[in-house]
Amino acid sequence: LFVIDLSIPTEPKVLGELKIPGYSKYLHPYDETHLIGFGENTEVVNYGYGDRVVTNGMKMALFDVTDPNNPQEMYSVDIGEKGTSSELLYNHKALLFSKEKDIIAFPISRTIDNYKVDFRGAIVYGLNLEKGFTLKGEISHNKNDYELYHSNNKIERIIYIGDNLFTLSENKIKATDMNSMKELSHIDL
């Protein structure tokens, strides 16, 4: 993570940097001095022909840039293993974020044990500066393992109205209570 001073646009200057495992593909402001990073975790492995850097699941981190000369990673959470993916990693519109509602939600295909998909849907977190990230729940449009692999129920977007989350896929719209994470209703399309 690099903090760059652009006060003189023709003379950008690096004020501070932070080196950590992994990388962020998308940074989203939390407030004026904190950023949420969404990306992938990495590890160095040696397969017998030299060290290689490989991805090892998704990573979400909170960065504190209050002191631009000394940025810090306050909290991080690893999500899944090799093969875990999210549309958020290449399309920021897949993110639902509301600081006021304490909600971070995005579509995910989470893998474990050598690329075995164990969940496909939306994952919902809370975040505050004192406690870090808190997993609130998961929302799926799939009824069983067969649908996990063979349906068009991949959640593409998450929105909220009041205290209800609405997840949208090609075949379904589902309403979920934001506080209890219980399904309220759904419509098959």
Side-chain angles (χ1 to χ4, degrees):
L1 177 72
F2 293 93
V3 180
I4 301 172
D5 180 355
L6 298 173
S7 59
I8 304 172
T10 57
E11 297 177 29
K13 183 171 115 181
V14 175
L15 298 177
E17 65 181 80
L18 173 66
K19 185 173 180 156
I20 54 173
Y23 56 91
S24 295
K25 288 188 171 186
Y26 175 60
L27 293 171
H28 190 86
Y30 177 75
D31 60 23
E32 290 187 14
T33 56
H34 297 87
L35 299 168
I36 308 167
F38 300 92
E40 295 183 287
N41 212 348
T42 59
E43 64 180 324
V44 177
V45 297
N46 188 317
Y47 295 111
Y49 48 86
D51 289 344
R52 296 184 56 107
V53 176
V54 296
T55 59
N56 190 20
M58 215 175 139
K59 179 179 180 178
M60 185 170 51
L62 180 68
F63 299 104
D64 182 350
V65 292
T66 305
D67 176 359
N69 299 307
N70 189 27
Q72 299 291 317
E73 181 181 65
M74 290 180 64
Y75 305 104
S76 71
V77 61
D78 295 333
I79 305 168
E81 296 177 7
K82 292 176 185 153
T84 296
S85 64
S86 173
E87 184 179 350
L88 173 57
L89 297 180
Y90 54 90
N91 182 351
H92 70 276
K93 293 179 181 179
L95 174 66
L96 169 65
F97 171 72
S98 171
K99 183 179 174 189
E100 294 75 27
K101 295 276 188 186
D102 188 27
I103 289 288
I104 299 171
F106 50 90
I108 192 157
S109 177
R110 186 180 59 214
T111 59
I112 58 170
D113 300 329
N114 291 324
Y115 301 95
K116 178 184 176 198
V117 175
D118 82 320
F119 176 76
R120 185 171 285 136
I123 194 163
V124 182
Y125 283 89
L127 171 62
N128 69 49
L129 298 179
E130 290 77 39
K131 296 179 184 175
F133 297 102
T134 306
L135 178 63
K136 291 188 168 204
E138 299 172 340
I139 302 168
S140 176
H141 285 193
N142 301 306
K143 297 176 193 160
N144 52 44
D145 285 346
Y146 179 81
E147 284 192 2
L148 181 66
Y149 292 99
H150 300 94
S151 76
N152 290 327
N153 285 335
K154 180 183 99 172
I155 293 175
E156 296 178 8
R157 294 291 181 269
I158 305 109
I159 61 172
Y160 73 86
I161 300 173
D163 287 334
N164 298 318
L165 292 173
F166 293 87
T167 48
L168 301 99
S169 67
E170 189 175 308
N171 293 338
K172 188 179 288 195
I173 299 173
K174 183 186 272 191
T176 302
D177 181 271
M178 188 181 297
N179 300 306
S180 69
M181 294 303 296
K182 302 280 188 213
E183 179 179 341
L184 298 172
S185 184
H186 71 270
I187 299 170
D188 292 319
L189 303 174

